[in-house]
Amino acid sequence: MSTPLDSFPRFPLAHLPTPLAEMKRLREALARETGNRLPRLFIKRDDCTGLAGGGNKTRKLEFLIGEALAGGADTVVTTGAVQSNHARQTAAAAAAAGLSSVLVLFDTVPYQGSAYRRSGNLLLDAVLGADVRIVPGDADAGAVFTAVMDELKAAGRTPYFVPVGGSSAVGSLGYANAYLELGAQLDDAGIGDAVLVHASSSGGTQAGLVAGACHRGRGPEIGAINVYRSDSDAMAEGIHALACKTAALIEAPAPAPGAVVLDHAHLGERYGLPTEAMRRAVELVARTEGVLLDPVYTGKGMAGFIAQLLAGTHSRREAAIFLHTGGMPGLFAYEEEFASV
Ligand SMILES: Cc1ncc(COP(=O)(O)O)c(C=O)c1O
Protein backbone atom coordinates (compact mmCIF):
# COMPACT_ATOMS: atom_id res chain seq x y z
CA MET A 1 0.00 0.00 0.00
CA SER A 2 1.48 3.40 -0.90
CA THR A 3 1.55 6.21 1.69
CA PRO A 4 2.42 9.93 1.47
CA LEU A 5 5.82 8.89 2.88
CA ASP A 6 6.69 7.33 -0.46
CA SER A 7 6.97 10.72 -2.12
CA PHE A 8 10.09 11.78 -0.15
CA PRO A 9 13.64 11.06 -1.28
CA ARG A 10 14.96 8.18 0.79
CA PHE A 11 18.36 6.50 0.92
CA PRO A 12 17.99 2.90 2.18
CA LEU A 13 20.09 2.29 5.31
CA ALA A 14 17.97 0.37 7.81
CA HIS A 15 17.14 -3.30 8.15
CA LEU A 16 13.35 -3.14 8.34
CA PRO A 17 11.01 -4.13 9.81
CA THR A 18 12.82 -4.36 13.12
CA PRO A 19 11.70 -7.28 15.34
CA LEU A 20 8.92 -7.00 17.91
CA ALA A 21 9.85 -9.46 20.67
CA GLU A 22 8.01 -10.47 23.82
CA MET A 23 9.82 -9.96 27.17
CA LYS A 24 8.43 -12.83 29.23
CA ARG A 25 11.34 -13.10 31.65
CA LEU A 26 11.36 -9.39 32.43
CA ARG A 27 7.63 -9.64 33.08
CA GLU A 28 8.18 -12.56 35.48
CA ALA A 29 10.88 -10.61 37.33
CA LEU A 30 8.63 -7.56 37.68
CA ALA A 31 5.67 -9.69 38.77
CA ARG A 32 7.75 -10.70 41.80
CA GLU A 33 8.01 -7.00 42.76
CA THR A 34 4.42 -5.80 42.39
CA GLY A 35 0.89 -6.84 43.21
CA ASN A 36 -0.40 -4.84 40.24
CA ARG A 37 -1.44 -6.71 37.11
CA LEU A 38 1.15 -6.51 34.36
CA PRO A 39 0.22 -6.40 30.67
CA ARG A 40 2.16 -8.52 28.16
CA LEU A 41 5.52 -6.83 27.62
CA PHE A 42 7.19 -6.35 24.24
CA ILE A 43 10.32 -4.68 22.95
CA LYS A 44 10.52 -3.10 19.50
CA ARG A 45 14.15 -3.62 18.49
CA ASP A 46 15.19 -0.40 16.78
CA ASP A 47 18.65 -1.07 18.19
CA CYS A 48 18.69 -3.62 15.35
CA THR A 49 18.32 -1.15 12.48
CA GLY A 50 21.69 -2.46 11.36
CA LEU A 51 23.85 0.57 10.59
CA ALA A 52 27.15 0.68 12.55
CA GLY A 53 25.64 -0.43 15.84
CA GLY A 54 22.04 0.45 15.00
CA GLY A 55 19.64 2.80 16.74
CA ASN A 56 16.80 5.17 16.07
CA LYS A 57 18.72 7.72 14.01
CA THR A 58 19.09 5.28 11.13
CA ARG A 59 15.39 5.61 10.30
CA LYS A 60 15.64 9.41 10.33
CA LEU A 61 18.84 9.37 8.30
CA GLU A 62 17.20 7.46 5.46
CA PHE A 63 15.14 10.58 4.77
CA LEU A 64 17.84 13.12 5.71
CA ILE A 65 20.52 11.53 3.53
CA GLY A 66 17.87 11.19 0.80
CA GLU A 67 17.33 14.95 0.97
CA ALA A 68 21.09 15.65 1.10
CA LEU A 69 21.73 13.57 -2.02
CA ALA A 70 18.77 15.11 -3.85
CA GLY A 71 20.27 18.55 -3.14
CA GLY A 72 23.72 17.57 -4.46
CA ALA A 73 25.51 17.62 -1.08
CA ASP A 74 28.94 16.01 -0.71
CA THR A 75 29.38 16.54 3.04
CA VAL A 76 27.05 16.04 5.99
CA VAL A 77 27.51 18.24 9.08
CA THR A 78 25.80 17.40 12.33
CA THR A 79 26.05 17.97 16.05
CA GLY A 80 25.42 16.48 19.47
CA ALA A 81 27.09 15.72 22.76
CA VAL A 82 30.52 14.05 22.90
CA GLN A 83 28.90 10.60 23.17
CA SER A 84 26.21 11.28 20.57
CA ASN A 85 24.69 8.13 19.06
CA HIS A 86 23.17 10.35 16.43
CA ALA A 87 26.58 11.65 15.35
CA ARG A 88 27.97 8.11 15.12
CA GLN A 89 25.06 6.95 12.96
CA THR A 90 25.31 10.07 10.80
CA ALA A 91 29.00 9.34 10.17
CA ALA A 92 28.06 5.79 9.18
CA ALA A 93 25.16 6.91 6.97
CA ALA A 94 27.39 9.45 5.23
CA ALA A 95 30.02 6.77 4.61
CA ALA A 96 27.41 4.40 3.18
CA ALA A 97 26.18 7.14 0.85
CA GLY A 98 29.69 8.13 -0.29
CA LEU A 99 29.60 11.48 1.55
CA SER A 100 32.07 13.03 4.02
CA SER A 101 30.96 13.86 7.54
CA VAL A 102 31.85 16.59 10.02
CA LEU A 103 30.69 16.08 13.64
CA VAL A 104 30.56 19.16 15.87
CA LEU A 105 30.41 17.69 19.38
CA PHE A 106 29.66 19.96 22.35
CA ASP A 107 31.36 19.00 25.60
CA THR A 108 28.23 19.68 27.66
CA VAL A 109 27.97 16.62 29.91
CA PRO A 110 29.97 16.99 33.13
CA TYR A 111 30.64 13.26 33.37
CA GLN A 112 34.19 12.54 34.50
CA GLY A 113 34.46 8.81 33.75
CA SER A 114 37.85 7.88 32.33
CA ALA A 115 36.48 6.49 29.04
CA TYR A 116 33.92 9.22 28.31
CA ARG A 117 36.20 11.35 26.13
CA ARG A 118 38.00 8.51 24.33
CA SER A 119 35.76 5.42 23.93
CA GLY A 120 32.16 4.50 23.08
CA ASN A 121 30.66 6.48 20.23
CA LEU A 122 33.70 8.75 19.96
CA LEU A 123 35.93 5.80 19.14
CA LEU A 124 33.45 4.63 16.49
CA ASP A 125 33.27 8.14 14.97
CA ALA A 126 37.03 7.91 14.36
CA VAL A 127 36.78 4.39 12.91
CA LEU A 128 34.02 5.64 10.57
CA GLY A 129 36.34 8.35 9.25
CA ALA A 130 34.38 11.36 10.50
CA ASP A 131 36.03 14.77 10.92
CA VAL A 132 35.34 15.22 14.65
CA ARG A 133 35.46 18.72 16.18
CA ILE A 134 34.98 18.85 19.96
CA VAL A 135 33.96 22.31 21.14
CA PRO A 136 33.42 23.68 24.67
CA GLY A 137 29.93 23.07 26.06
CA ASP A 138 29.23 26.80 26.40
CA ALA A 139 30.29 27.74 22.85
CA ASP A 140 27.73 29.72 20.80
CA ALA A 141 26.18 26.92 18.71
CA GLY A 142 24.87 29.17 15.93
CA ALA A 143 28.26 30.83 15.47
CA VAL A 144 30.09 27.48 15.49
CA PHE A 145 27.76 25.98 12.83
CA THR A 146 28.02 29.07 10.61
CA ALA A 147 31.82 28.98 10.83
CA VAL A 148 31.96 25.27 9.93
CA MET A 149 29.51 25.63 7.02
CA ASP A 150 31.40 28.70 5.72
CA GLU A 151 34.73 26.89 6.00
CA LEU A 152 33.42 23.92 4.00
CA LYS A 153 31.86 26.13 1.32
CA ALA A 154 35.09 28.12 1.01
CA ALA A 155 36.88 24.80 0.42
CA GLY A 156 34.53 24.12 -2.51
CA ARG A 157 32.31 21.62 -0.72
CA THR A 158 28.51 21.39 -0.65
CA PRO A 159 27.56 20.75 2.99
CA TYR A 160 24.15 19.59 4.23
CA PHE A 161 23.34 20.40 7.86
CA VAL A 162 21.48 17.85 9.99
CA PRO A 163 20.09 19.38 13.21
CA VAL A 164 20.76 17.82 16.60
CA GLY A 165 19.28 14.33 16.81
CA GLY A 166 18.21 14.50 13.15
CA SER A 167 15.06 16.08 14.55
CA SER A 168 13.70 18.05 11.63
CA ALA A 169 10.29 17.29 10.12
CA VAL A 170 12.04 15.37 7.32
CA GLY A 171 14.03 13.29 9.85
CA SER A 172 10.88 12.61 11.86
CA LEU A 173 9.31 10.96 8.80
CA GLY A 174 11.41 7.94 9.77
CA TYR A 175 9.36 7.56 12.94
CA ALA A 176 6.01 8.22 11.29
CA ASN A 177 6.99 5.24 9.18
CA ALA A 178 8.09 3.24 12.24
CA TYR A 179 4.69 3.81 13.82
CA LEU A 180 2.94 2.35 10.76
CA GLU A 181 5.38 -0.58 10.79
CA LEU A 182 4.65 -1.29 14.47
CA GLY A 183 0.91 -0.93 13.90
CA ALA A 184 1.05 -3.64 11.24
CA GLN A 185 3.05 -5.93 13.57
CA LEU A 186 0.47 -5.46 16.33
CA ASP A 187 -2.34 -6.20 13.90
CA ASP A 188 -0.55 -9.38 12.83
CA ALA A 189 -0.13 -10.39 16.49
CA GLY A 190 -3.80 -9.66 17.20
CA ILE A 191 -2.95 -7.01 19.82
CA GLY A 192 -5.42 -4.15 19.97
CA ASP A 193 -4.82 -2.16 23.12
CA ALA A 194 -1.20 -1.22 23.69
CA VAL A 195 1.01 1.61 24.89
CA LEU A 196 4.41 2.41 23.39
CA VAL A 197 7.04 3.87 25.73
CA HIS A 198 10.42 5.30 24.69
CA ALA A 199 13.17 7.71 25.67
CA SER A 200 12.79 11.22 24.25
CA SER A 201 15.46 13.89 23.89
CA SER A 202 15.69 16.04 20.76
CA GLY A 203 12.12 14.91 20.10
CA GLY A 204 12.14 13.74 16.49
CA THR A 205 11.36 10.17 17.43
CA GLN A 206 8.34 11.17 19.49
CA ALA A 207 7.19 13.78 16.96
CA GLY A 208 7.35 11.22 14.16
CA LEU A 209 5.49 8.61 16.18
CA VAL A 210 2.78 11.11 17.10
CA ALA A 211 2.44 12.17 13.45
CA GLY A 212 2.31 8.50 12.45
CA ALA A 213 -0.48 7.93 14.96
CA CYS A 214 -2.45 10.81 13.41
CA HIS A 215 -1.99 9.23 10.01
CA ARG A 216 -3.04 5.77 11.23
CA GLY A 217 -5.98 7.11 13.22
CA ARG A 218 -5.73 4.49 15.98
CA GLY A 219 -3.35 3.17 18.67
CA PRO A 220 -0.97 2.30 20.20
CA GLU A 221 -0.80 5.29 22.52
CA ILE A 222 2.60 6.90 22.95
CA GLY A 223 4.15 7.80 26.30
CA ALA A 224 7.71 9.09 26.34
CA ILE A 225 10.27 9.38 29.10
CA ASN A 226 12.15 12.70 29.20
CA VAL A 227 15.89 12.01 29.39
CA TYR A 228 17.01 15.43 28.18
CA ARG A 229 15.65 18.71 29.49
CA SER A 230 14.79 19.89 32.97
CA ASP A 231 12.09 22.11 31.44
CA SER A 232 9.69 19.39 30.33
CA ASP A 233 6.81 21.71 29.42
CA ALA A 234 8.96 23.64 26.95
CA MET A 235 10.28 20.34 25.61
CA ALA A 236 6.73 19.02 25.08
CA GLU A 237 5.74 22.24 23.29
CA GLY A 238 8.71 21.93 20.93
CA ILE A 239 7.91 18.29 20.20
CA HIS A 240 4.27 19.15 19.54
CA ALA A 241 5.31 21.84 17.03
CA LEU A 242 7.60 19.34 15.29
CA ALA A 243 4.85 16.69 15.28
CA CYS A 244 2.49 19.20 13.60
CA LYS A 245 5.09 19.92 10.87
CA THR A 246 5.71 16.21 10.33
CA ALA A 247 1.97 15.46 10.19
CA ALA A 248 1.55 18.23 7.59
CA LEU A 249 4.27 16.64 5.43
CA ILE A 250 2.36 13.34 5.32
CA GLU A 251 -1.04 15.03 5.01
CA ALA A 252 -2.21 13.71 8.39
CA PRO A 253 -4.47 15.65 10.79
CA ALA A 254 -2.57 17.89 13.23
CA PRO A 255 -1.99 16.25 16.61
CA ALA A 256 -3.57 17.74 19.75
CA PRO A 257 -1.04 19.11 22.28
CA GLY A 258 -2.18 16.36 24.67
CA ALA A 259 -0.82 13.74 22.26
CA VAL A 260 2.71 14.60 23.41
CA VAL A 261 3.03 12.81 26.75
CA LEU A 262 6.33 13.16 28.65
CA ASP A 263 7.10 11.55 32.01
CA HIS A 264 9.58 13.86 33.76
CA ALA A 265 10.45 11.69 36.74
CA HIS A 266 13.46 9.76 35.41
CA LEU A 267 15.96 12.33 34.15
CA GLY A 268 17.89 12.52 37.43
CA GLU A 269 20.32 15.39 37.97
CA ARG A 270 20.69 16.11 34.27
CA TYR A 271 21.12 14.75 30.74
CA GLY A 272 23.97 12.27 30.47
CA LEU A 273 24.51 11.80 34.20
CA PRO A 274 23.76 8.27 35.47
CA THR A 275 20.99 7.42 37.94
CA GLU A 276 20.70 4.39 40.20
CA ALA A 277 17.38 3.41 38.56
CA MET A 278 19.11 3.51 35.14
CA ARG A 279 21.85 1.15 36.37
CA ARG A 280 19.27 -1.27 37.78
CA ALA A 281 17.19 -1.18 34.59
CA VAL A 282 20.21 -1.79 32.33
CA GLU A 283 21.31 -4.76 34.43
CA LEU A 284 17.81 -6.22 34.87
CA VAL A 285 17.03 -6.20 31.15
CA ALA A 286 20.48 -7.57 30.28
CA ARG A 287 20.11 -10.37 32.82
CA THR A 288 16.50 -11.33 32.07
CA GLU A 289 16.32 -10.78 28.31
CA GLY A 290 19.93 -10.65 27.08
CA VAL A 291 19.22 -7.18 25.67
CA LEU A 292 21.74 -4.35 26.09
CA LEU A 293 20.42 -0.86 26.77
CA ASP A 294 22.49 2.34 27.17
CA PRO A 295 23.21 4.67 30.10
CA VAL A 296 21.95 7.97 28.63
CA TYR A 297 18.69 7.17 26.82
CA THR A 298 17.27 3.66 26.88
CA GLY A 299 18.50 2.91 30.42
CA LYS A 300 16.60 5.89 31.82
CA GLY A 301 13.72 5.19 29.43
CA MET A 302 13.50 1.61 30.67
CA ALA A 303 13.72 2.82 34.28
CA GLY A 304 10.64 4.93 33.56
CA PHE A 305 8.85 2.06 31.79
CA ILE A 306 9.52 -0.25 34.76
CA ALA A 307 8.41 2.37 37.29
CA GLN A 308 5.13 2.84 35.38
CA LEU A 309 4.56 -0.92 35.20
CA LEU A 310 5.23 -1.45 38.91
CA ALA A 311 2.91 1.43 39.75
CA GLY A 312 0.11 -0.19 37.74
CA THR A 313 -0.05 2.63 35.17
CA HIS A 314 -0.61 0.17 32.29
CA SER A 315 -2.43 -2.56 34.25
CA ARG A 316 -5.61 -2.43 32.21
CA ARG A 317 -3.84 -2.72 28.88
CA GLU A 318 -3.29 -5.82 26.83
CA ALA A 319 0.33 -4.95 26.02
CA ALA A 320 3.04 -2.45 26.85
CA ILE A 321 5.86 -2.01 24.35
CA PHE A 322 9.26 -0.49 24.97
CA LEU A 323 10.89 1.04 21.91
CA HIS A 324 14.60 0.21 22.09
CA THR A 325 16.17 3.19 20.36
CA GLY A 326 19.76 1.88 20.53
CA GLY A 327 22.82 3.50 22.10
CA MET A 328 24.68 0.41 23.30
CA PRO A 329 28.16 1.87 22.45
CA GLY A 330 27.52 4.35 25.26
CA LEU A 331 28.02 1.54 27.79
CA PHE A 332 31.75 1.59 27.01
CA ALA A 333 31.96 5.33 27.69
CA TYR A 334 30.40 4.82 31.12
CA GLU A 335 32.39 1.74 32.09
CA GLU A 336 32.80 2.72 35.75
CA GLU A 337 29.01 2.53 36.23
CA PHE A 338 28.91 -1.17 35.43
CA ALA A 339 32.37 -2.68 35.78
CA SER A 340 32.60 -4.80 38.90
CA VAL A 341 36.29 -5.61 38.48
C1 LIG B 1 19.81 5.71 21.97
C2 LIG B 1 18.90 6.88 21.82
N1 LIG B 1 17.64 6.76 22.26
C3 LIG B 1 16.76 7.78 22.18
C4 LIG B 1 17.14 8.99 21.65
C5 LIG B 1 16.12 10.08 21.62
O1 LIG B 1 15.65 10.31 20.33
P1 LIG B 1 15.17 11.77 19.93
O2 LIG B 1 16.41 12.63 19.91
O3 LIG B 1 14.57 11.59 18.60
O4 LIG B 1 14.25 12.24 20.96
C6 LIG B 1 18.45 9.17 21.18
C7 LIG B 1 18.89 10.47 20.67
O5 LIG B 1 20.03 10.75 20.47
C8 LIG B 1 19.36 8.08 21.28
O6 LIG B 1 20.62 8.20 20.86
Side-chain angles (χ1 to χ4, degrees), residues 54-57 60 83-89 121 164-167 172 175 198-208 225 227-228 235 239 242 271 293-294 296-299 323-329:
N56 60 340
K57 307 307 173 184
K60 300 180 182 182
Q83 282 296 333
S84 168
N85 298 298
H86 161 68
R88 180 244 314 157
Q89 284 168 89
N121 284 295
V164 66
S167 288
S172 300
Y175 270 89
H198 69 95
S200 194
S201 75
S202 67
T205 301
Q206 191 171 5
I225 310 294
V227 301
Y228 192 43
M235 178 165 158
I239 294 172
L242 185 57
Y271 168 79
L293 302 171
D294 84 283
V296 177
Y297 301 94
T298 52
L323 174 61
H324 189 336
T325 42
M328 190 272 268

Side-chain angles (χ1 to χ4, degrees), residues 223-234:
I225 310 294
N226 172 11
V227 301
Y228 192 43
R229 281 178 64 169
S230 50
D231 186 347
S232 268
D233 290 343

Side-chain angles (χ1 to χ4, degrees), residues 6-303:
D6 299 334
S7 59
F8 294 90
R10 184 169 174 184
F11 184 77
L13 291 165
H15 299 175
L16 302 178
T18 57
L20 179 68
E22 189 153 8
M23 298 192 286
K24 289 188 178 166
R25 284 183 35 81
L26 176 65
R27 187 173 185 275
E28 279 166 22
L30 297 181
R32 289 193 284 274
E33 289 185 39
T34 182
N36 289 317
R37 179 192 171 273
L38 295 169
R40 288 175 73 188
L41 303 184
F42 291 86
I43 186 160
K44 172 73 171 156
R45 296 292 304 271
D46 273 15
D47 57 319
C48 299
T49 46
L51 179 73
N56 60 340
K57 307 307 173 184
T58 305
R59 289 186 188 266
K60 300 180 182 182
L61 284 159
E62 290 201 316
F63 290 95
L64 293 163
I65 296 287
E67 188 176 71
L69 291 172
D74 56 23
T75 305
V76 179
V77 180
T78 199
T79 185
V82 168
Q83 282 296 333
S84 168
N85 298 298
H86 161 68
R88 180 244 314 157
Q89 284 168 89
T90 302
L99 307 175
S100 304
S101 59
V102 179
L103 310 179
V104 181
L105 304 182
F106 287 80
D107 196 357
T108 46
V109 176
Y111 184 68
Q112 296 309 328
S114 60
Y116 186 82
R117 286 169 188 78
R118 66 170 163 78
S119 185
N121 284 295
L122 203 53
L123 171 66
L124 301 182
D125 296 342
V127 173
L128 290 162
D131 173 352
V132 177
R133 319 258 180 108
I134 298 186
V135 295
D138 61 358
D140 176 342
V144 173
F145 301 149
T146 305
V148 171
M149 296 297 275
D150 287 351
E151 173 205 315
L152 292 167
K153 285 179 200 158
R157 308 204 67 104
T158 308
Y160 173 86
F161 185 75
V162 175
V164 66
S167 288
S168 62
V170 167
S172 300
L173 291 172
Y175 270 89
N177 198 43
Y179 190 89
L180 302 181
E181 178 185 303
L182 174 64
Q185 287 173 318
L186 292 175
D187 284 351
D188 285 349
I191 294 167
D193 173 31
V195 62
L196 175 66
V197 176
H198 69 95
S200 194
S201 75
S202 67
T205 301
Q206 191 171 5
L209 291 170
V210 167
C214 292
H215 184 269
R216 187 167 194 250
R218 59 196 172 96
E221 271 180 37
I222 301 149
I225 310 294
N226 172 11
V227 301
Y228 192 43
R229 281 178 64 169
S230 50
D231 186 347
S232 268
D233 290 343
M235 178 165 158
E237 267 175 44
I239 294 172
H240 178 248
L242 185 57
C244 288
K245 282 190 203 153
T246 311
L249 282 185
I250 56 170
E251 296 160 30
V260 176
V261 176
L262 272 179
D263 180 343
H264 318 318
H266 309 282
L267 172 64
E269 197 182 327
R270 61 183 283 178
Y271 168 79
L273 293 186
T275 63
E276 191 47 41
M278 175 281 290
R279 268 183 227 107
R280 277 202 309 273
V282 167
E283 290 181 354
L284 181 63
V285 173
R287 293 167 194 189
T288 53
E289 297 292 339
V291 171
L292 295 170
L293 302 171
D294 84 283
V296 177
Y297 301 94
T298 52
K300 287 184 181 176
M302 181 59 80

